Amino acid sequence: MKTIDNNFVNFDIIGDIHGHSNDLKKLLNALGYSNKKGYYQHPERKVLFIGDYIDRGINIIEVLDIVKKMVDNGEAIALMGNHEYNAICYNTLNANGDYLREHNPKNFNQHAVTMAAFMPVPNMYKMYIEWFKTLPLFYENDSFRAVHACWDNTYIDYLRTRLDENNCLTNSIIEESATEGTDLNKAVEVTLKGKEAKMPEGVTFIDKDRILRTEFRTKWWENPHKMTYSSISVHSVKGMPNTPFVVEDDNYYLETEVPVFFGHYWMEQKAGTRPHIQRENVCCVDFSVAKGDGILACYRYSGESKLNSTQLVFVK
């Protein structure tokens, strides 16, 4: 497998794809990538995929084929998303012979489209589960950082001591990573699934998977001491009060740090408006392609220290 020079900065950073290969091909074509050699490439740029290639959309195998071929030929870096991590755990037994991710109705439904896609080719499914293990949990160079859900320096520093030299999970620690209560489990959960906080008393909501939630996703890039429950919530929640947020975690992504890119959060593009960054050094590239009105988005990064929303490119 060809690798990419760690000093390279001309990256097209693409958000969560979730089995939508047609959108991916349209986006790559719009960005100037060609597929003349059996894989997409650009004469001056590379792609950094932010994770979540599977589940939800039906063209999962084609998405994985495109992404893996680009990685294998040195045209892309692909990070692990929480859906790839969940798939690993769903197919891995612990020391007691139980699956690391329980085979309950909720977890089955989340992964059902992927399993159905691979039903005619079970050996290919096994191959991709093993390939998921080779995906880094985060990427950084001197210019920028990228992660699927949350860059918390405390957890990233801890992961550096536990992951291999490529920032990947090894077989020897996967079970520990899925064991609640371990430091590794907490670090992986936050990095791949983000930070959550408890709802104020009496407030709940039903999420996109029809699950009742008593916790909500928080903006880990904002100073929590300056936020209310409503303003620190990534998504609007009915009944969320504008009272001061009760801070349990002081860590947040400082304005002085290098730009960071992530996905995971199903940002919405309001009708008639362009997607936008969160801050000059913070950019989410997940704009809900798996929703009917969502888009597949990309940030065209070229080494700048201050990000700009005009660099976001997208296709419907």
Side-chain angles (χ1 to χ4, degrees):
M1 183 178 71
K2 296 180 181 178
T3 59
I4 296 174
D5 184 346
N6 201 47
N7 294 316
F8 193 85
V9 294
N10 293 331
F11 280 102
D12 294 314
I13 302 167
I14 295 179
D16 306 32
I17 305 166
H18 283 304
H20 287 255
S21 64
N22 291 332
D23 297 88
L24 176 58
K25 289 184 288 187
K26 288 178 184 176
L27 180 58
L28 289 171
N29 287 328
L31 294 169
Y33 287 77
S34 62
N35 188 10
K36 297 177 182 178
K37 297 182 179 180
Y39 55 90
Y40 284 89
Q41 60 182 149
H42 191 285
E44 298 174 345
R45 306 185 65 82
K46 309 289 185 184
V47 169
L48 195 154
F49 294 105
I50 217 76
D52 277 8
Y53 315 107
I54 63 172
D55 300 335
R56 307 195 190 285
I58 61 172
N59 297 325
I60 290 160
I61 291 179
E62 186 175 27
V63 167
L64 291 173
D65 182 66
I66 292 170
V67 173
K68 186 176 184 298
K69 283 179 178 176
M70 291 184 71
V71 172
D72 290 347
N73 288 281
E75 300 300 329
I77 293 169
L79 300 184
M80 182 185 290
N82 62 299
H83 282 256
E84 288 75 50
Y85 177 74
N86 288 346
I88 292 169
C89 294
Y90 196 85
N91 289 276
T92 302
L93 297 171
N94 64 19
N96 297 323
D98 300 317
Y99 285 102
L100 297 181
R101 183 167 175 81
E102 186 181 354
H103 287 199
N104 58 28
K106 177 180 78 73
N107 294 339
F108 175 86
N109 289 338
Q110 186 184 70
H111 196 48
V113 176
T114 299
M115 290 188 290
F118 282 108
M119 193 173 294
V121 283
N123 288 335
M124 184 183 291
Y125 181 48
K126 293 177 182 177
M127 180 275 288
Y128 276 114
I129 295 298
E130 291 303 309
W131 182 67
F132 293 161
K133 297 177 185 178
T134 72
L135 303 179
L137 271 67
F138 60 90
Y139 174 82
E140 64 178 330
N141 60 28
D142 292 340
S143 299
F144 77 99
R145 297 162 172 168
V147 67
H148 180 65
C150 174
W151 191 286
D152 181 295
N153 284 305
T154 299
Y155 291 119
I156 295 292
D157 286 344
Y158 173 76
L159 288 173
R160 289 192 186 101
T161 71
R162 301 301 310 278
L163 304 177
D164 69 12
E165 64 275 10
N166 297 313
N167 301 325
C168 302
L169 290 165
T170 60
N171 284 325
S172 63
I173 63 171
I174 286 177
E175 181 173 344
E176 181 186 349
S177 76
T179 303
E180 289 188 18
T182 65
D183 291 340
L184 183 59
N185 173 255
K186 182 63 175 177
V188 170
E189 287 284 309
V190 168
T191 301
L192 297 184
K193 302 179 183 180
K195 294 184 178 182
E196 295 188 345
K198 293 180 180 178
M199 294 279 199
E201 187 174 352
V203 180
T204 60
F205 73 101
I206 305 293
D207 72 7
K208 60 184 178 297
D209 294 316
R210 310 305 301 167
I211 305 297
L212 179 68
R213 297 293 186 184
T214 58
E215 296 185 334
F216 67 103
R217 291 175 172 176
T218 59
K219 299 174 181 174
W220 48 268
W221 55 92
E222 298 286 3
N223 184 342
H225 293 282
K226 297 181 179 180
M227 307 297 280
T228 66
Y229 276 95
S230 179
S231 64
I232 203 169
S233 178
V234 175
H235 300 113
S236 176
V237 177
K238 185 177 180 180
M240 189 73 86
N242 280 312
T243 54
F245 178 64
V246 178
V247 179
E248 297 181 358
D249 179 358
D250 280 316
N251 289 335
Y252 72 99
Y253 202 79
L254 300 175
E255 292 85 349
T256 54
E257 298 187 69
V258 299
V260 63
F261 298 91
F262 56 98
H264 186 63
Y265 285 98
W266 291 69
M267 297 297 182
E268 294 183 358
Q269 177 207 13
K270 295 181 180 179
T273 65
R274 287 184 54 85
H276 60 85
I277 62 174
Q278 283 59 52
R279 213 168 64 200
E280 286 186 336
N281 69 332
V282 178
C283 177
C284 179
V285 288
D286 177 20
F287 286 88
S288 313
V289 69
K291 289 175 62 177
D293 58 350
I295 58 176
L296 184 62
C298 159
Y299 188 97
R300 304 212 83 176
Y301 181 73
S302 300
E304 62 268 26
S305 60
K306 293 184 178 181
L307 307 180
N308 192 306
S309 294
T310 61
Q311 295 304 109
L312 282 165
V313 179
F314 63 95
V315 294
K316 287 230 178 197

